[in-house]
Amino acid sequence: GGKVEFVVTVQPNGIVSKSVVRTAKFKGSGLAECFADKIMSWRFPEFSGQPQQIIVPFVLQQRNTY
């Protein structure tokens, strides 16, 4: 469990140009790399002005499977 956060840079055309894991304990993990890769494919509505950095949190929960 836990929470993993990413710093995501969104360009004015809505394209994600950067996705970096922010949570220290997940840096370098396969899980974080998978999330970061998927975030790069996200698209946002176009906007005017400078690129924006946003924090994207994911809350991870363990689920028992039998």
Side-chain angles (χ1 to χ4, degrees), residues 30-52:
L31 178 67
E33 293 304 316
C34 181
F35 273 113
D37 286 347
K38 292 297 181 188
I39 291 169
M40 290 296 294
S41 70
W42 291 2
R43 295 296 176 261
F44 290 83
E46 292 186 15
F47 58 90
S48 56
Q50 298 298 312
Q52 298 293 307

Side-chain angles (χ1 to χ4, degrees), residues 14-59:
I15 291 176
V16 173
S17 61
K18 193 171 184 182
S19 174
V20 179
V21 66
R22 181 178 185 221
T23 310
K25 78 175 188 176
F26 287 100
K27 285 188 179 188
S29 73
L31 178 67
E33 293 304 316
C34 181
F35 273 113
D37 286 347
K38 292 297 181 188
I39 291 169
M40 290 296 294
S41 70
W42 291 2
R43 295 296 176 261
F44 290 83
E46 292 186 15
F47 58 90
S48 56
Q50 298 298 312
Q52 298 293 307
Q53 281 194 334
I54 59 173
I55 305 297
V56 178
F58 291 93
V59 177

